[in-house]
Amino acid sequence: MHRDDRTRLRHMLDAAKEAIAFTKNESRNSLDANRMLVLSLVRLIEILGEAANQVSREFQAKNSGIPWPQIIAMRNRLIHAYFDIDLERLWDTVKEDLPPLVKQLEEIQ
């Protein structure tokens, strides 16, 4: 593993864990009432996606169980369509997709 890959994986893991922590005692309705929570989650997923995009293609290929294209695509969507964020999708990503991703990232570190 390249040294930079290790750093990017750490960034991905940190961002995912932080997003999960931010939603620990929250409900989906919290996104409607708390703009800071929305902005925090969006930023963390952007960081996650950018870090994923910086992981070497070789490492991505060796770890094809991680949904690299989807992670990167979500980052791109949030960055370029910032004016049209689907809060349901954001919530589902944090609550359903990130916990298994954290597990995968911890296993390959």
Side-chain angles (χ1 to χ4, degrees), residues 26-72:
E26 303 291 342
S27 70
R28 164 54 188 90
N29 291 334
S30 299
L31 294 182
D32 297 323
N34 187 343
R35 180 82 173 138
M36 284 193 302
L37 179 59
V38 171
L39 294 173
S40 298
L41 296 177
V42 166
R43 181 64 179 139
L44 288 166
I45 293 173
E46 289 171 353
I47 291 168
L48 176 66
E50 182 60 24
N53 194 44
Q54 298 302 316
V55 171
S56 70
R57 299 302 170 239
E58 298 83 21
F59 187 86
Q60 288 182 20
K62 288 179 187 171
N63 294 278
S64 59
I66 294 178
W68 302 104
Q70 291 87 349
I71 294 168
I72 295 164

Short mmCIF file of all heavy atoms in Angstrom, two decimals, residues 26-72:
data_model
loop_
_atom_site.label_atom_id
_atom_site.label_comp_id
_atom_site.label_asym_id
_atom_site.label_seq_id
_atom_site.Cartn_x
_atom_site.Cartn_y
_atom_site.Cartn_z
N GLU A 26 -29.82 11.64 16.75
CA GLU A 26 -30.66 12.45 15.88
C GLU A 26 -31.62 11.56 15.10
O GLU A 26 -31.41 10.36 14.98
CB GLU A 26 -29.79 13.23 14.88
CG GLU A 26 -28.75 14.13 15.50
CD GLU A 26 -29.31 15.33 16.23
OE1 GLU A 26 -30.49 15.69 15.99
OE2 GLU A 26 -28.59 15.91 17.06
N SER A 27 -32.67 12.19 14.59
CA SER A 27 -33.62 11.50 13.70
C SER A 27 -33.55 12.17 12.34
O SER A 27 -32.94 13.23 12.17
CB SER A 27 -35.03 11.59 14.27
OG SER A 27 -35.50 12.93 14.17
N ARG A 28 -34.21 11.57 11.38
CA ARG A 28 -34.23 12.16 10.04
C ARG A 28 -34.77 13.58 10.09
O ARG A 28 -34.32 14.47 9.36
CB ARG A 28 -35.07 11.25 9.11
CG ARG A 28 -35.53 11.86 7.80
CD ARG A 28 -34.40 12.45 6.98
NE ARG A 28 -34.92 13.18 5.85
CZ ARG A 28 -35.23 14.47 5.85
NH1 ARG A 28 -35.07 15.21 6.92
NH2 ARG A 28 -35.67 15.04 4.75
N ASN A 29 -35.74 13.85 10.98
CA ASN A 29 -36.32 15.19 11.10
C ASN A 29 -35.29 16.23 11.52
O ASN A 29 -35.49 17.43 11.30
CB ASN A 29 -37.49 15.18 12.07
CG ASN A 29 -38.67 14.42 11.53
OD1 ASN A 29 -38.84 14.29 10.32
ND2 ASN A 29 -39.49 13.90 12.42
N SER A 30 -34.22 15.78 12.13
CA SER A 30 -33.17 16.71 12.56
C SER A 30 -32.59 17.47 11.37
O SER A 30 -32.18 18.63 11.50
CB SER A 30 -32.05 15.97 13.27
OG SER A 30 -32.54 15.33 14.42
N LEU A 31 -32.55 16.83 10.21
CA LEU A 31 -32.00 17.51 9.03
C LEU A 31 -32.87 18.68 8.61
O LEU A 31 -32.36 19.69 8.11
CB LEU A 31 -31.84 16.53 7.87
CG LEU A 31 -30.82 15.42 8.04
CD1 LEU A 31 -30.74 14.57 6.77
CD2 LEU A 31 -29.45 15.96 8.40
N ASP A 32 -34.16 18.56 8.80
CA ASP A 32 -35.08 19.65 8.45
C ASP A 32 -34.95 20.82 9.42
O ASP A 32 -35.17 21.97 9.03
CB ASP A 32 -36.52 19.15 8.43
CG ASP A 32 -36.74 18.08 7.39
OD1 ASP A 32 -36.15 18.17 6.29
OD2 ASP A 32 -37.51 17.13 7.67
N ALA A 33 -34.57 20.51 10.65
CA ALA A 33 -34.54 21.54 11.69
C ALA A 33 -33.15 22.10 11.96
O ALA A 33 -33.03 23.14 12.60
CB ALA A 33 -35.11 20.96 12.99
N ASN A 34 -32.11 21.43 11.49
CA ASN A 34 -30.76 21.81 11.88
C ASN A 34 -29.87 21.95 10.65
O ASN A 34 -29.26 21.00 10.19
CB ASN A 34 -30.20 20.77 12.85
CG ASN A 34 -28.87 21.18 13.43
OD1 ASN A 34 -28.18 22.06 12.93
ND2 ASN A 34 -28.50 20.51 14.51
N ARG A 35 -29.79 23.15 10.14
CA ARG A 35 -28.98 23.43 8.95
C ARG A 35 -27.49 23.11 9.18
O ARG A 35 -26.81 22.65 8.27
CB ARG A 35 -29.17 24.90 8.55
CG ARG A 35 -28.40 25.33 7.33
CD ARG A 35 -29.11 24.96 6.08
NE ARG A 35 -28.41 25.55 4.95
CZ ARG A 35 -28.19 24.93 3.83
NH1 ARG A 35 -28.66 23.72 3.65
NH2 ARG A 35 -27.55 25.52 2.85
N MET A 36 -27.02 23.36 10.39
CA MET A 36 -25.61 23.06 10.68
C MET A 36 -25.34 21.56 10.56
O MET A 36 -24.27 21.17 10.09
CB MET A 36 -25.21 23.56 12.06
CG MET A 36 -25.02 25.06 12.10
SD MET A 36 -24.19 25.67 13.59
CE MET A 36 -25.26 25.10 14.87
N LEU A 37 -26.29 20.73 10.96
CA LEU A 37 -26.11 19.28 10.82
C LEU A 37 -26.04 18.91 9.35
O LEU A 37 -25.17 18.13 8.95
CB LEU A 37 -27.25 18.53 11.51
CG LEU A 37 -27.20 17.01 11.41
CD1 LEU A 37 -25.92 16.46 12.02
CD2 LEU A 37 -28.43 16.40 12.07
N VAL A 38 -26.92 19.47 8.54
CA VAL A 38 -26.90 19.19 7.10
C VAL A 38 -25.55 19.58 6.51
O VAL A 38 -24.92 18.78 5.81
CB VAL A 38 -28.04 19.93 6.36
CG1 VAL A 38 -27.88 19.82 4.85
CG2 VAL A 38 -29.40 19.43 6.81
N LEU A 39 -25.12 20.79 6.78
CA LEU A 39 -23.86 21.26 6.21
C LEU A 39 -22.67 20.43 6.70
O LEU A 39 -21.75 20.15 5.92
CB LEU A 39 -23.66 22.74 6.53
CG LEU A 39 -24.66 23.69 5.88
CD1 LEU A 39 -24.47 25.11 6.40
CD2 LEU A 39 -24.57 23.64 4.37
N SER A 40 -22.71 20.02 7.95
CA SER A 40 -21.64 19.18 8.48
C SER A 40 -21.59 17.84 7.77
O SER A 40 -20.52 17.36 7.38
CB SER A 40 -21.84 18.95 9.98
OG SER A 40 -21.78 20.16 10.68
N LEU A 41 -22.74 17.21 7.61
CA LEU A 41 -22.78 15.90 6.95
C LEU A 41 -22.37 16.00 5.49
O LEU A 41 -21.62 15.15 4.99
CB LEU A 41 -24.18 15.29 7.07
CG LEU A 41 -24.64 14.95 8.48
CD1 LEU A 41 -26.06 14.42 8.46
CD2 LEU A 41 -23.69 13.98 9.17
N VAL A 42 -22.84 17.03 4.82
CA VAL A 42 -22.45 17.22 3.42
C VAL A 42 -20.94 17.37 3.31
O VAL A 42 -20.29 16.72 2.48
CB VAL A 42 -23.17 18.44 2.80
CG1 VAL A 42 -22.54 18.87 1.49
CG2 VAL A 42 -24.66 18.15 2.62
N ARG A 43 -20.37 18.19 4.16
CA ARG A 43 -18.92 18.41 4.10
C ARG A 43 -18.15 17.12 4.39
O ARG A 43 -17.16 16.81 3.71
CB ARG A 43 -18.51 19.51 5.09
CG ARG A 43 -17.04 19.80 5.07
CD ARG A 43 -16.60 20.35 3.73
NE ARG A 43 -15.17 20.64 3.78
CZ ARG A 43 -14.33 20.38 2.79
NH1 ARG A 43 -14.77 19.87 1.66
NH2 ARG A 43 -13.05 20.66 2.92
N LEU A 44 -18.59 16.36 5.37
CA LEU A 44 -17.90 15.12 5.69
C LEU A 44 -17.97 14.11 4.55
O LEU A 44 -16.99 13.42 4.26
CB LEU A 44 -18.47 14.52 6.99
CG LEU A 44 -18.08 15.30 8.25
CD1 LEU A 44 -18.94 14.87 9.42
CD2 LEU A 44 -16.60 15.15 8.56
N ILE A 45 -19.10 14.06 3.88
CA ILE A 45 -19.22 13.14 2.74
C ILE A 45 -18.40 13.64 1.56
O ILE A 45 -17.83 12.85 0.81
CB ILE A 45 -20.69 12.88 2.39
CG1 ILE A 45 -21.33 12.10 3.55
CG2 ILE A 45 -20.83 12.10 1.08
CD1 ILE A 45 -22.82 11.91 3.45
N GLU A 46 -18.30 14.96 1.41
CA GLU A 46 -17.41 15.51 0.39
C GLU A 46 -15.96 15.10 0.67
O GLU A 46 -15.23 14.69 -0.24
CB GLU A 46 -17.52 17.03 0.35
CG GLU A 46 -18.82 17.55 -0.20
CD GLU A 46 -18.99 19.05 -0.03
OE1 GLU A 46 -18.15 19.71 0.64
OE2 GLU A 46 -19.99 19.58 -0.56
N ILE A 47 -15.54 15.21 1.92
CA ILE A 47 -14.18 14.82 2.30
C ILE A 47 -13.96 13.34 2.04
O ILE A 47 -12.94 12.94 1.46
CB ILE A 47 -13.91 15.16 3.78
CG1 ILE A 47 -13.85 16.68 3.97
CG2 ILE A 47 -12.62 14.49 4.28
CD1 ILE A 47 -13.88 17.13 5.42
N LEU A 48 -14.92 12.54 2.43
CA LEU A 48 -14.86 11.10 2.20
C LEU A 48 -14.67 10.78 0.73
O LEU A 48 -13.79 10.00 0.34
CB LEU A 48 -16.14 10.45 2.74
CG LEU A 48 -16.34 8.96 2.54
CD1 LEU A 48 -15.32 8.16 3.31
CD2 LEU A 48 -17.74 8.59 2.99
N GLY A 49 -15.46 11.42 -0.12
CA GLY A 49 -15.38 11.19 -1.56
C GLY A 49 -14.10 11.70 -2.18
O GLY A 49 -13.54 11.05 -3.08
N GLU A 50 -13.63 12.83 -1.72
CA GLU A 50 -12.38 13.36 -2.26
C GLU A 50 -11.21 12.48 -1.87
O GLU A 50 -10.34 12.19 -2.69
CB GLU A 50 -12.15 14.80 -1.78
CG GLU A 50 -10.91 15.45 -2.33
CD GLU A 50 -10.87 15.56 -3.85
OE1 GLU A 50 -11.93 15.56 -4.50
OE2 GLU A 50 -9.75 15.64 -4.40
N ALA A 51 -11.20 12.03 -0.63
CA ALA A 51 -10.14 11.13 -0.19
C ALA A 51 -10.19 9.83 -0.99
O ALA A 51 -9.15 9.32 -1.42
CB ALA A 51 -10.26 10.85 1.31
N ALA A 52 -11.39 9.30 -1.22
CA ALA A 52 -11.54 8.07 -2.01
C ALA A 52 -10.99 8.27 -3.42
O ALA A 52 -10.34 7.38 -3.98
CB ALA A 52 -13.00 7.65 -2.07
N ASN A 53 -11.24 9.43 -3.98
CA ASN A 53 -10.78 9.72 -5.33
C ASN A 53 -9.25 9.79 -5.41
O ASN A 53 -8.68 9.56 -6.48
CB ASN A 53 -11.39 11.03 -5.82
CG ASN A 53 -11.22 11.22 -7.31
OD1 ASN A 53 -11.44 10.30 -8.09
ND2 ASN A 53 -10.85 12.42 -7.71
N GLN A 54 -8.61 10.08 -4.29
CA GLN A 54 -7.15 10.19 -4.26
C GLN A 54 -6.45 8.86 -3.97
O GLN A 54 -5.23 8.77 -4.08
CB GLN A 54 -6.72 11.23 -3.22
CG GLN A 54 -7.24 12.63 -3.51
CD GLN A 54 -6.79 13.16 -4.86
OE1 GLN A 54 -5.64 13.01 -5.23
NE2 GLN A 54 -7.70 13.77 -5.60
N VAL A 55 -7.21 7.85 -3.59
CA VAL A 55 -6.63 6.52 -3.36
C VAL A 55 -6.19 5.98 -4.73
O VAL A 55 -6.90 6.12 -5.73
CB VAL A 55 -7.66 5.58 -2.69
CG1 VAL A 55 -7.16 4.14 -2.66
CG2 VAL A 55 -7.98 6.07 -1.28
N SER A 56 -5.03 5.36 -4.76
CA SER A 56 -4.50 4.87 -6.04
C SER A 56 -5.45 3.87 -6.70
O SER A 56 -6.15 3.13 -6.02
CB SER A 56 -3.13 4.23 -5.84
OG SER A 56 -3.25 3.01 -5.13
N ARG A 57 -5.45 3.88 -8.01
CA ARG A 57 -6.31 2.96 -8.77
C ARG A 57 -5.94 1.51 -8.47
O ARG A 57 -6.80 0.64 -8.43
CB ARG A 57 -6.22 3.23 -10.28
CG ARG A 57 -6.67 4.64 -10.68
CD ARG A 57 -8.10 4.93 -10.25
NE ARG A 57 -8.43 6.33 -10.44
CZ ARG A 57 -8.82 7.16 -9.47
NH1 ARG A 57 -8.94 6.73 -8.24
NH2 ARG A 57 -9.10 8.42 -9.72
N GLU A 58 -4.66 1.26 -8.23
CA GLU A 58 -4.21 -0.10 -7.91
C GLU A 58 -4.84 -0.58 -6.60
O GLU A 58 -5.32 -1.71 -6.51
CB GLU A 58 -2.68 -0.16 -7.79
CG GLU A 58 -1.92 0.19 -9.04
CD GLU A 58 -1.75 1.70 -9.25
OE1 GLU A 58 -1.85 2.46 -8.28
OE2 GLU A 58 -1.54 2.11 -10.41
N PHE A 59 -4.83 0.30 -5.60
CA PHE A 59 -5.41 -0.07 -4.32
C PHE A 59 -6.92 -0.25 -4.44
O PHE A 59 -7.48 -1.18 -3.86
CB PHE A 59 -5.09 0.98 -3.25
CG PHE A 59 -5.52 0.56 -1.88
CD1 PHE A 59 -4.67 -0.21 -1.10
CD2 PHE A 59 -6.76 0.91 -1.39
CE1 PHE A 59 -5.07 -0.63 0.17
CE2 PHE A 59 -7.16 0.50 -0.13
CZ PHE A 59 -6.31 -0.27 0.65
N GLN A 60 -7.56 0.63 -5.20
CA GLN A 60 -9.00 0.48 -5.43
C GLN A 60 -9.31 -0.86 -6.08
O GLN A 60 -10.24 -1.55 -5.68
CB GLN A 60 -9.53 1.63 -6.29
CG GLN A 60 -9.58 2.96 -5.58
CD GLN A 60 -10.15 4.06 -6.45
OE1 GLN A 60 -10.85 3.80 -7.43
NE2 GLN A 60 -9.88 5.30 -6.09
N ALA A 61 -8.50 -1.23 -7.07
CA ALA A 61 -8.73 -2.50 -7.78
C ALA A 61 -8.55 -3.69 -6.84
O ALA A 61 -9.30 -4.67 -6.93
CB ALA A 61 -7.80 -2.61 -8.97
N LYS A 62 -7.59 -3.61 -5.95
CA LYS A 62 -7.34 -4.71 -5.00
C LYS A 62 -8.43 -4.80 -3.93
O LYS A 62 -8.56 -5.82 -3.26
CB LYS A 62 -5.99 -4.52 -4.32
CG LYS A 62 -4.81 -4.80 -5.22
CD LYS A 62 -3.51 -4.57 -4.48
CE LYS A 62 -2.34 -4.69 -5.43
NZ LYS A 62 -1.08 -4.28 -4.81
N ASN A 63 -9.18 -3.73 -3.76
CA ASN A 63 -10.23 -3.66 -2.74
C ASN A 63 -11.55 -3.29 -3.40
O ASN A 63 -12.21 -2.31 -3.04
CB ASN A 63 -9.84 -2.65 -1.66
CG ASN A 63 -8.63 -3.11 -0.89
OD1 ASN A 63 -8.74 -3.92 0.03
ND2 ASN A 63 -7.46 -2.63 -1.28
N SER A 64 -11.92 -4.09 -4.36
CA SER A 64 -13.10 -3.79 -5.19
C SER A 64 -14.42 -3.95 -4.44
O SER A 64 -15.47 -3.57 -4.97
CB SER A 64 -13.09 -4.67 -6.44
OG SER A 64 -13.10 -6.04 -6.06
N GLY A 65 -14.40 -4.47 -3.23
CA GLY A 65 -15.62 -4.57 -2.43
C GLY A 65 -16.09 -3.22 -1.91
O GLY A 65 -17.25 -3.08 -1.51
N ILE A 66 -15.20 -2.26 -1.92
CA ILE A 66 -15.56 -0.90 -1.52
C ILE A 66 -16.16 -0.21 -2.73
O ILE A 66 -15.59 -0.26 -3.82
CB ILE A 66 -14.34 -0.15 -0.97
CG1 ILE A 66 -13.90 -0.82 0.33
CG2 ILE A 66 -14.66 1.33 -0.76
CD1 ILE A 66 -12.68 -0.22 0.97
N PRO A 67 -17.30 0.45 -2.56
CA PRO A 67 -17.97 1.08 -3.71
C PRO A 67 -17.32 2.41 -4.10
O PRO A 67 -17.92 3.48 -3.99
CB PRO A 67 -19.40 1.27 -3.22
CG PRO A 67 -19.27 1.44 -1.74
CD PRO A 67 -18.11 0.56 -1.33
N TRP A 68 -16.08 2.34 -4.56
CA TRP A 68 -15.32 3.55 -4.91
C TRP A 68 -16.08 4.48 -5.85
O TRP A 68 -16.17 5.68 -5.56
CB TRP A 68 -13.97 3.17 -5.52
CG TRP A 68 -13.11 2.32 -4.64
CD1 TRP A 68 -12.91 0.97 -4.79
CD2 TRP A 68 -12.36 2.72 -3.50
NE1 TRP A 68 -12.07 0.52 -3.79
CE2 TRP A 68 -11.71 1.57 -2.99
CE3 TRP A 68 -12.16 3.94 -2.87
CZ2 TRP A 68 -10.88 1.62 -1.87
CZ3 TRP A 68 -11.33 3.98 -1.76
CH2 TRP A 68 -10.71 2.84 -1.27
N PRO A 69 -16.61 3.97 -6.98
CA PRO A 69 -17.29 4.89 -7.90
C PRO A 69 -18.49 5.60 -7.28
O PRO A 69 -18.71 6.79 -7.53
CB PRO A 69 -17.73 3.99 -9.06
CG PRO A 69 -16.86 2.78 -8.97
CD PRO A 69 -16.55 2.61 -7.52
N GLN A 70 -19.23 4.90 -6.45
CA GLN A 70 -20.41 5.51 -5.82
C GLN A 70 -20.01 6.56 -4.79
O GLN A 70 -20.66 7.61 -4.69
CB GLN A 70 -21.29 4.43 -5.17
CG GLN A 70 -21.97 3.52 -6.16
CD GLN A 70 -21.10 2.32 -6.56
OE1 GLN A 70 -19.91 2.24 -6.27
NE2 GLN A 70 -21.71 1.38 -7.26
N ILE A 71 -18.96 6.28 -4.04
CA ILE A 71 -18.48 7.25 -3.04
C ILE A 71 -18.03 8.53 -3.75
O ILE A 71 -18.38 9.64 -3.34
CB ILE A 71 -17.32 6.64 -2.22
CG1 ILE A 71 -17.83 5.47 -1.37
CG2 ILE A 71 -16.67 7.70 -1.34
CD1 ILE A 71 -16.72 4.64 -0.75
N ILE A 72 -17.26 8.36 -4.80
CA ILE A 72 -16.75 9.52 -5.55
C ILE A 72 -17.88 10.25 -6.25
O ILE A 72 -17.92 11.49 -6.26
CB ILE A 72 -15.66 9.05 -6.54
CG1 ILE A 72 -14.45 8.49 -5.76
CG2 ILE A 72 -15.25 10.17 -7.48
CD1 ILE A 72 -13.49 7.66 -6.59
#
